Amino acid sequence: MLAISPSALADRQRELALERELARRNPWQPLPGPQRAAYESTADIVGYGGAAGGGKTDLAIGKALTQHRKVAMFRREGTELGGIVDRLTEVLGSRDGYTNGREHVWRVPGGKVQIEFGSVPHPGDERKHQGRAKDLLVIDEAANFLESQVRFLMGWVRTVDPTQRCQTLMTFNPPTNAEGRWLVSYFAPWLDDKHPVPALPGELRWFATIDGVDLEVASGESFNHKGELIKPQSRTFIPSRVADNPYLMGTNYMAQLQALPEPLRSQMLHGDFKSGMEDDPWQVIPTAWVEAAMQRWKPMHVKPAMDSVGVDVARGGKDNTIIARRHGVWFDQPMAYTGSQTPDGPSVAAMTILALRDNAPVHIDIIGVGSSPYDFLKTNGIQTIGVNVAEKSGAQDRAGVLRFFNIRSQLWWQFREALDPTYNKGLSLPPDRQLLADLCAPKWKPVGPIVQVEGREEIIKRLGRSPDWASAYVLALMDTPRIRDAERMGGARRTKRAQGHDPFEYMRDHG
């Protein structure tokens, strides 16, 4: 029989005493109202919050301690986890079981609950947590995370216990910048005022990912798609405000929120997702300009001639091939195909040919994988312009003051100029959330009088995704004359247009 040391015996006695005390007082109960609704929700993915002070952190802690066994709580920055640890200490009465070394894990006395704390400050950090199963994933302040990070972490929400519910909880306030905009799309039935069938707070909606795209479906029933059994997941969103938290209503926290400047006041006090988000000062295209162009858009049953097609080719399994079609100043809805649907040059060329009308010129980025579909289109007699966006540009901005670092910088800046309300071009873009996010993604910097727009790889490093949708539309803005039209144009005009001076010049002259 092994002897137990006095210190080990004392530790065990303290642990048993703490367990008895926790069982006696039940350390956490949800507040009536939104917090209880979120606590009791059966959704696979629960969004909670909106306004500040609604008890988001407490909800995460309460669910972890009373409903789950293996929990992972994430903040974007590791230094921000201290508040959660401090609140857990208050609830449990001590830090017994908390290991703050190489691993940040809280093994709650009794052995039934283990809470792991993590952070993913940089794109790709989420892969360090690959394979670590949990039955509750908490993404605290989700608006600070990249969508790709959250989706990756959600891939390991699972358990072998058939009696244990698995759930993801995302807590967040309205995003204050464009990088958090993905949450509005993710919870669109509750947060997007343009959603065709809005959902009530706490209502369950089901979503399935088909060919890399989230689609809302009628129910949680599994279905077969191309030989694969698809199991939809349920989502819900429950808004909360400081007025729902009686503990904070007795403090001056409400007055502090009321004193915030707009639009932060409306976002934090009322959870207003419609309040303006701040653009980065170096964002190439202002969000308001894109939104105005999307508000102008109306479906066209009888379209004018197609003037240009832009093709951005998928560069891997997670990327998409996007085809954008322009009719004058009106852009059609995007045609999107996953990398698996367009695995090679012939398949991209085939999709492009199906989209073509009126002998419109095709503009395709030929860097890397774009060269193969370019060759197939040319072989099939399609007027195709291969665009090497890394090449040097000889163009200037509209005012004749700025020059461009490369063709990519030129094309993006010309798209900005086309959307500029000062010139009232009337550009109409389809109201697509992904297109909006992509067009507002790139930043620029001045290098003397030269505009340099950040490259695709820089954007992927910063946001964890490629702006595929926007790249196709930027290419579609290019205004290359049809071959038969070019033959009727003077040599001087062809030279001027080849320099890319004004992508709308031809439309002005020829309708």
Side-chain angles (χ1 to χ4, degrees):
M1 182 174 179
L2 295 174
I4 301 176
S5 68
S7 62
L9 181 61
D11 289 342
R12 180 55 182 157
Q13 288 173 338
R14 283 195 298 271
E15 185 174 283
L16 290 173
L18 180 58
E19 288 179 35
R20 288 193 295 270
E21 176 63 12
L22 290 176
R24 182 185 67 80
R25 65 183 183 177
N26 195 355
W28 189 87
Q29 288 288 334
L31 297 171
Q35 194 180 74
R36 177 172 289 280
Y39 176 75
E40 295 177 348
S41 176
T42 60
D44 297 310
I45 303 160
V46 177
Y48 181 74
K56 298 187 292 295
T57 300
D58 257 38
L59 173 65
I61 289 173
K63 289 181 76 66
L65 293 177
T66 63
Q67 292 183 334
H68 293 271
R69 297 182 179 182
K70 197 162 186 180
V71 181
M73 293 188 177
F74 282 84
R75 290 292 295 262
R76 183 70 189 272
E77 299 288 342
T79 54
E80 299 171 345
L81 290 164
I84 301 176
V85 173
D86 290 343
R87 179 57 184 143
L88 257 170
T89 303
E90 292 177 4
V91 173
L92 293 175
S94 76
R95 292 201 177 192
D96 288 353
Y98 178 51
T99 304
N100 186 13
R102 288 188 60 186
E103 61 171 11
H104 297 266
V105 177
W106 200 317
R107 294 177 177 85
V108 178
K112 292 183 179 180
V113 180
Q114 175 179 303
I115 304 173
E116 175 188 346
F117 302 94
S119 62
V120 286
H122 306 109
D125 285 349
E126 64 275 10
R127 297 193 175 275
K128 299 174 184 177
H129 302 272
Q130 183 171 346
R132 301 170 78 164
K134 69 279 295 180
D135 51 72
L136 175 64
L137 171 65
V138 176
I139 306 294
D140 198 26
E141 300 298 347
N144 296 330
F145 287 74
L146 304 179
E147 181 179 4
S148 59
Q149 292 178 317
V150 174
R151 287 185 180 272
F152 184 89
L153 293 171
M154 287 170 59
W156 311 106
V157 178
R158 63 191 185 195
T159 182
V160 295
D161 183 353
T163 66
Q164 176 61 57
R165 176 188 298 164
C166 290
Q167 202 167 56
T168 296
L169 172 65
M170 300 188 206
T171 68
F172 52 93
N173 299 322
T176 56
N177 57 49
E179 293 178 6
R181 191 189 299 275
W182 67 270
L183 281 165
V184 178
S185 298
Y186 194 86
F187 292 101
W190 301 269
L191 302 181
D192 186 353
D193 58 356
K194 297 181 179 65
H195 193 276
V197 187
L200 296 172
E203 179 184 346
L204 267 60
R205 293 286 179 90
W206 284 266
F207 294 82
T209 302
I210 301 174
D211 296 328
V213 179
D214 273 6
L215 295 177
E216 190 171 348
V217 295
S219 72
E221 293 293 323
S222 299
F223 60 93
N224 191 282
H225 176 71
K226 297 180 180 178
E228 180 183 1
L229 188 65
I230 304 292
K231 174 63 177 173
Q233 283 193 312
S234 55
R235 298 180 194 173
T236 194
F237 177 79
I238 298 170
S240 67
R241 300 179 298 170
V242 65
D244 301 314
N245 191 337
Y247 297 108
L248 287 179
M249 284 301 292
T251 69
N252 68 341
Y253 189 62
M254 175 74 82
Q256 293 175 9
L257 295 178
Q258 290 171 336
L260 291 171
E262 290 289 4
L264 195 59
R265 180 183 188 275
S266 294
Q267 290 172 326
M268 297 297 112
L269 184 61
H270 304 299
D272 187 355
F273 283 83
K274 299 171 188 163
S275 299
M277 289 181 283
E278 293 185 9
D279 286 347
D280 187 280
W282 296 106
Q283 185 172 309
V284 177
I285 303 176
T287 304
W289 295 5
V290 181
E291 290 176 335
M294 289 183 172
Q295 289 171 1
R296 287 192 290 268
W297 193 88
K298 297 290 187 296
M300 282 191 179
H301 302 294
V302 179
K303 302 179 180 69
M306 186 180 293
D307 291 308
S308 177
V309 175
V311 182
D312 184 81
V313 185
R315 285 163 168 78
K318 292 185 178 180
D319 282 346
N320 297 275
T321 292
I322 307 298
I323 300 175
R325 299 155 292 169
R326 178 173 61 77
H327 304 254
V329 295
W330 185 89
F331 285 82
D332 210 337
Q333 294 175 319
M335 301 176 72
Y337 304 95
T338 63
S340 61
Q341 292 176 298
T342 52
D344 50 33
S347 62
V348 174
M351 298 297 187
T352 304
I353 292 171
L354 288 174
L356 274 177
R357 298 290 185 277
D358 308 310
N359 297 309
V362 175
H363 303 88
I364 185 168
D365 185 350
I366 58 172
I367 293 180
V369 294
S371 59
S372 176
Y374 167 80
D375 291 338
F376 277 90
L377 288 167
K378 292 284 286 185
T379 302
N380 282 274
I382 306 299
Q383 184 184 355
T384 309
I385 296 86
V387 183
N388 184 344
V389 295
E391 285 185 350
K392 184 178 178 180
S393 168
Q396 291 180 306
D397 75 328
R398 184 183 299 278
V401 175
L402 299 174
R403 291 179 288 115
F404 304 103
F405 179 76
N406 52 19
I407 296 293
R408 175 185 175 82
S409 301
Q410 171 195 326
L411 295 178
W412 274 92
W413 201 262
Q414 288 174 337
F415 208 97
R416 170 194 167 96
E417 290 179 330
L419 290 172
D420 190 339
T422 304
Y423 302 106
N424 192 26
K425 293 292 184 183
L427 203 71
S428 296
L429 295 171
D432 184 281
R433 282 275 174 192
Q434 189 63 56
L435 177 60
L436 173 67
D438 282 5
L439 283 171
C440 298
K443 299 179 184 180
W444 72 285
K445 63 181 179 181
V447 184
I450 297 175
V451 171
Q452 182 174 353
V453 175
E454 66 180 337
R456 183 190 297 266
E457 296 305 319
E458 293 174 287
I459 295 174
I460 293 174
K461 185 177 180 180
R462 178 167 56 84
L463 297 182
R465 60 178 174 83
S466 172
D468 302 327
W469 268 253
S471 297
Y473 278 74
V474 167
L475 288 168
L477 185 67
M478 296 182 70
D479 198 30
T480 303
R482 295 173 180 82
I483 291 176
R484 65 172 182 266
D485 295 333
E487 292 171 351
R488 294 197 298 264
M489 296 172 64
R493 184 176 297 280
R494 285 201 302 271
T495 300
K496 187 176 181 182
R497 292 182 50 72
Q499 293 174 344
H501 183 73
D502 185 349
F504 275 87
E505 181 177 336
Y506 184 72
M507 280 189 280
R508 284 202 304 267
D509 295 343
H510 297 270

